[in-house]
Amino acid sequence: MAFIDTTLQLPARQSKPRTGGLTIAIDSGLPHGLFEDVLTSYGELIDTVKFGWGTSLASPDFRRKLQIAERCGVDFMLGGTLFEKYVSQDRFDEYLSLCADLGCRLVEISNGTITLDSGAKAKFIERAASDFTVIAEVGYKDQPRSELFSPSQWIEAIRSDIDAGAVYVQLEARESGSSGICRPDGELRFGLIEDILQSEIAMGTIIFESPTKILQAYFVNRIGAEVNLGNIGFLDVIALETLRLGLRSETLFADPDGPGL
């Protein structure tokens, strides 16, 4: 969204609380000062902070970050890998209690590392959905395992998570953009994305992990400014917004009203 009046024709952007055009920023363990500076300056552009992996357990004075996020009107959730750690030790109820104690309104449920079939995952989603907004994640962090996951299996897994109660489904790319919907060299699996786009899944329920400018620009051009994007670096928030608004060369000639699907 533009914060200075202009006669330029720019894509319409929802104000918070948004239901589309979500930006989920990942905190990989930022210092408190930098965390606060970014949220204070750019909180209007960040919908949710995901505390990656288990950084919530490893960060001193972690609750101070939660207070900052609350003050800046930014939602937050713990990373899916932490959920998988708790599940691997049969401590799911303890995990939900932790999320509630920290004041999380969102819970991420994934099976990117552990062996967890769709039926078992669906039960975890159903249990969490009664008290939290669930963001499920589909895709594997292990590249060989990911390569064997066919487009039809991706689509089936997305539908299963939504049917179980997930409000959004995030598609794995890792923080490096080198797995899941991406190949090891960072190239997007274009055929997979097109199969998902051509399915009957509502695109408003999908969050595409896009840690790199190349991925972000592709999804803005292909889907539109209101595409939901995750795993965005804290210092990339403004750069992403300029891509959404068509203010960088990569999206300068994007259709302000979106290309349509």
Side-chain angles (χ1 to χ4, degrees):
M1 59 193 65
F3 293 96
I4 294 177
D5 289 337
T6 176
T7 59
L8 288 172
Q9 184 183 13
L10 301 176
R13 292 279 284 129
Q14 296 182 39
S15 298
K16 292 174 66 175
R18 280 180 282 270
T19 57
L22 303 179
T23 293
I24 299 180
I26 185 168
D27 175 9
S28 57
L30 294 175
H32 290 79
L34 179 55
F35 183 87
E36 184 168 17
D37 282 349
V38 172
L39 289 197
T40 300
S41 299
Y42 310 141
E44 180 59 31
L45 301 176
I46 301 173
D47 298 280
T48 301
V49 170
K50 178 168 76 170
F51 296 104
W53 324 292
T55 55
S56 53
L57 302 189
S59 299
D61 197 14
F62 175 68
R63 290 179 186 270
R64 179 181 162 198
K65 285 189 171 181
L66 305 185
Q67 293 168 355
I68 293 168
E70 286 279 9
R71 186 175 73 246
C72 294
V74 177
D75 260 327
F76 51 84
M77 63 182 179
L78 308 183
T81 301
L82 185 60
F83 156 78
E84 294 182 41
K85 184 70 172 181
Y86 272 86
V87 167
S88 70
Q89 296 184 11
D90 195 23
R91 297 173 184 267
F92 179 62
D93 289 339
E94 184 179 328
Y95 177 73
L96 293 184
S97 295
L98 171 66
C99 291
D101 177 62
L102 293 176
C104 299
R105 289 180 285 270
L106 309 174
V107 168
E108 183 178 37
I109 292 182
S110 64
N111 57 349
T113 302
I114 63 174
T115 300
L116 183 68
D117 65 40
S118 59
K121 184 184 179 190
K123 291 180 180 179
F124 286 123
I125 292 172
E126 290 171 0
R127 289 170 61 187
S130 61
D131 296 303
F132 303 90
T133 295
V134 175
I135 297 181
E137 185 173 74
V138 170
Y140 302 121
K141 298 184 185 300
D142 178 70
Q143 187 58 44
R145 187 182 178 198
S146 184
E147 289 283 356
L148 295 174
F149 202 47
S150 69
S152 62
Q153 289 174 306
W154 277 84
I155 293 169
E156 182 181 351
I158 294 168
R159 286 175 173 157
S160 175
D161 288 352
I162 292 173
D163 289 344
V167 175
Y168 295 100
V169 175
Q170 187 162 254
L171 306 188
E172 176 74 72
R174 303 205 70 173
E175 73 286 354
S176 58
S178 61
S179 190
I181 59 174
C182 295
R183 304 195 186 282
D185 63 0
E187 181 183 14
L188 189 65
R189 295 174 62 183
F190 296 102
L192 167 63
I193 297 303
E194 286 305 310
D195 283 348
I196 293 172
L197 293 181
Q198 298 307 319
S199 71
E200 296 180 355
I201 297 169
M203 283 303 101
T205 64
I206 302 296
I207 300 169
F208 299 91
E209 289 194 344
S210 304
T212 68
K213 180 181 71 173
I214 291 175
L215 293 174
Q216 294 161 17
Y218 176 81
F219 285 120
V220 170
N221 280 314
R222 179 65 184 87
I223 300 173
E226 291 290 85
V227 63
N228 301 321
L229 299 177
N231 270 18
I232 305 302
F234 260 57
L235 299 183
D236 295 331
V237 170
I238 291 293
L240 169 59
E241 194 64 22
T242 61
L243 285 172
R244 291 187 187 275
L245 294 177
L247 298 174
R248 293 186 75 174
S249 63
E250 291 83 357
T251 58
L252 194 68
F253 300 106
D255 184 347
D257 298 319
L261 295 175

Short mmCIF file of all heavy atoms in Angstrom, two decimals, residues 6-28:
data_model
loop_
_atom_site.label_atom_id
_atom_site.label_comp_id
_atom_site.label_asym_id
_atom_site.label_seq_id
_atom_site.Cartn_x
_atom_site.Cartn_y
_atom_site.Cartn_z
N THR A 6 -0.77 9.69 -4.30
CA THR A 6 -0.21 9.68 -5.64
C THR A 6 -1.32 9.42 -6.64
O THR A 6 -2.35 8.82 -6.30
CB THR A 6 0.87 8.60 -5.78
OG1 THR A 6 1.34 8.56 -7.14
CG2 THR A 6 0.34 7.23 -5.41
N THR A 7 -1.13 9.91 -7.86
CA THR A 7 -2.10 9.65 -8.92
C THR A 7 -1.74 8.39 -9.70
O THR A 7 -2.44 8.04 -10.65
CB THR A 7 -2.17 10.84 -9.89
OG1 THR A 7 -0.87 11.06 -10.46
CG2 THR A 7 -2.64 12.10 -9.18
N LEU A 8 -0.66 7.72 -9.31
CA LEU A 8 -0.29 6.48 -9.99
C LEU A 8 -1.39 5.44 -9.84
O LEU A 8 -2.04 5.34 -8.79
CB LEU A 8 1.01 5.92 -9.41
CG LEU A 8 2.30 6.67 -9.74
CD1 LEU A 8 3.46 6.09 -8.93
CD2 LEU A 8 2.61 6.58 -11.23
N GLN A 9 -1.57 4.65 -10.87
CA GLN A 9 -2.49 3.52 -10.78
C GLN A 9 -1.73 2.36 -10.17
O GLN A 9 -0.84 1.79 -10.80
CB GLN A 9 -3.02 3.13 -12.17
CG GLN A 9 -4.06 2.02 -12.12
CD GLN A 9 -4.52 1.60 -13.50
OE1 GLN A 9 -3.92 1.95 -14.50
NE2 GLN A 9 -5.59 0.81 -13.54
N LEU A 10 -2.08 2.03 -8.94
CA LEU A 10 -1.39 0.97 -8.20
C LEU A 10 -2.41 -0.08 -7.77
O LEU A 10 -3.60 0.21 -7.63
CB LEU A 10 -0.69 1.56 -6.96
CG LEU A 10 0.37 2.63 -7.22
CD1 LEU A 10 0.90 3.17 -5.90
CD2 LEU A 10 1.52 2.08 -8.06
N PRO A 11 -1.94 -1.30 -7.55
CA PRO A 11 -2.87 -2.35 -7.09
C PRO A 11 -3.52 -1.98 -5.77
O PRO A 11 -2.87 -1.39 -4.88
CB PRO A 11 -1.95 -3.58 -6.94
CG PRO A 11 -0.78 -3.30 -7.80
CD PRO A 11 -0.57 -1.82 -7.75
N ALA A 12 -4.78 -2.31 -5.64
CA ALA A 12 -5.47 -2.11 -4.37
C ALA A 12 -4.94 -3.10 -3.34
O ALA A 12 -4.74 -4.27 -3.65
CB ALA A 12 -6.97 -2.29 -4.55
N ARG A 13 -4.70 -2.61 -2.14
CA ARG A 13 -4.20 -3.48 -1.06
C ARG A 13 -5.11 -3.35 0.14
O ARG A 13 -5.50 -2.24 0.52
CB ARG A 13 -2.76 -3.08 -0.68
CG ARG A 13 -1.74 -3.37 -1.74
CD ARG A 13 -1.30 -4.82 -1.74
NE ARG A 13 -0.39 -5.07 -0.62
CZ ARG A 13 -0.52 -6.05 0.26
NH1 ARG A 13 -1.56 -6.87 0.20
NH2 ARG A 13 0.37 -6.23 1.22
N GLN A 14 -5.45 -4.47 0.73
CA GLN A 14 -6.27 -4.45 1.93
C GLN A 14 -5.49 -3.87 3.10
O GLN A 14 -4.27 -4.03 3.19
CB GLN A 14 -6.71 -5.87 2.31
CG GLN A 14 -7.60 -6.56 1.30
CD GLN A 14 -8.01 -7.94 1.79
OE1 GLN A 14 -8.28 -8.14 2.98
NE2 GLN A 14 -8.05 -8.89 0.88
N SER A 15 -6.21 -3.21 4.00
CA SER A 15 -5.63 -2.79 5.26
C SER A 15 -5.81 -3.89 6.29
O SER A 15 -6.65 -4.78 6.13
CB SER A 15 -6.29 -1.49 5.75
OG SER A 15 -6.08 -0.44 4.82
N LYS A 16 -5.04 -3.84 7.35
CA LYS A 16 -5.17 -4.84 8.40
C LYS A 16 -6.46 -4.60 9.19
O LYS A 16 -6.86 -3.45 9.38
CB LYS A 16 -3.96 -4.78 9.34
CG LYS A 16 -2.67 -5.22 8.67
CD LYS A 16 -1.46 -5.03 9.56
CE LYS A 16 -1.49 -5.91 10.77
NZ LYS A 16 -0.24 -5.81 11.57
N PRO A 17 -7.11 -5.65 9.65
CA PRO A 17 -6.72 -7.07 9.48
C PRO A 17 -7.08 -7.58 8.09
O PRO A 17 -8.24 -7.47 7.67
CB PRO A 17 -7.53 -7.79 10.56
CG PRO A 17 -8.73 -6.92 10.75
CD PRO A 17 -8.28 -5.51 10.53
N ARG A 18 -6.08 -8.09 7.38
CA ARG A 18 -6.26 -8.55 6.00
C ARG A 18 -6.71 -10.00 5.97
O ARG A 18 -6.35 -10.79 6.84
CB ARG A 18 -4.93 -8.43 5.24
CG ARG A 18 -4.60 -7.05 4.75
CD ARG A 18 -3.27 -7.04 4.02
NE ARG A 18 -2.15 -7.05 4.95
CZ ARG A 18 -1.58 -5.95 5.43
NH1 ARG A 18 -2.01 -4.76 5.06
NH2 ARG A 18 -0.58 -6.02 6.30
N THR A 19 -7.41 -10.34 4.90
CA THR A 19 -7.73 -11.74 4.61
C THR A 19 -7.01 -12.20 3.36
O THR A 19 -7.02 -13.39 3.04
CB THR A 19 -9.24 -11.93 4.41
OG1 THR A 19 -9.69 -11.05 3.36
CG2 THR A 19 -10.00 -11.61 5.68
N GLY A 20 -6.38 -11.26 2.65
CA GLY A 20 -5.61 -11.59 1.46
C GLY A 20 -4.42 -10.66 1.36
O GLY A 20 -4.39 -9.59 1.98
N GLY A 21 -3.42 -11.06 0.57
CA GLY A 21 -2.20 -10.27 0.49
C GLY A 21 -1.40 -10.33 1.77
O GLY A 21 -0.72 -9.37 2.14
N LEU A 22 -1.46 -11.48 2.46
CA LEU A 22 -0.78 -11.62 3.74
C LEU A 22 0.74 -11.67 3.56
O LEU A 22 1.25 -12.27 2.61
CB LEU A 22 -1.23 -12.89 4.44
CG LEU A 22 -2.72 -13.06 4.72
CD1 LEU A 22 -2.98 -14.38 5.41
CD2 LEU A 22 -3.25 -11.90 5.56
N THR A 23 1.44 -11.05 4.49
CA THR A 23 2.89 -11.14 4.57
C THR A 23 3.25 -11.75 5.91
O THR A 23 2.97 -11.16 6.97
CB THR A 23 3.55 -9.76 4.43
OG1 THR A 23 3.33 -9.27 3.10
CG2 THR A 23 5.06 -9.86 4.67
N ILE A 24 3.84 -12.94 5.87
CA ILE A 24 4.29 -13.61 7.09
C ILE A 24 5.80 -13.53 7.14
O ILE A 24 6.50 -14.10 6.30
CB ILE A 24 3.81 -15.07 7.12
CG1 ILE A 24 2.28 -15.11 7.09
CG2 ILE A 24 4.35 -15.78 8.37
CD1 ILE A 24 1.70 -16.51 7.13
N ALA A 25 6.30 -12.78 8.10
CA ALA A 25 7.74 -12.59 8.25
C ALA A 25 8.30 -13.64 9.20
O ALA A 25 7.66 -14.00 10.19
CB ALA A 25 8.04 -11.18 8.77
N ILE A 26 9.50 -14.12 8.90
CA ILE A 26 10.12 -15.14 9.74
C ILE A 26 11.23 -14.52 10.59
O ILE A 26 12.09 -13.81 10.08
CB ILE A 26 10.66 -16.32 8.89
CG1 ILE A 26 11.19 -17.42 9.81
CG2 ILE A 26 11.70 -15.86 7.88
CD1 ILE A 26 11.48 -18.72 9.09
N ASP A 27 11.14 -14.78 11.88
CA ASP A 27 12.18 -14.34 12.82
C ASP A 27 13.06 -15.54 13.12
O ASP A 27 12.61 -16.51 13.74
CB ASP A 27 11.54 -13.80 14.10
CG ASP A 27 12.57 -13.44 15.17
OD1 ASP A 27 13.78 -13.44 14.85
OD2 ASP A 27 12.16 -13.17 16.30
N SER A 28 14.29 -15.48 12.68
CA SER A 28 15.22 -16.59 12.90
C SER A 28 16.07 -16.39 14.15
O SER A 28 17.09 -17.08 14.33
CB SER A 28 16.13 -16.76 11.67
OG SER A 28 16.82 -15.55 11.40
#
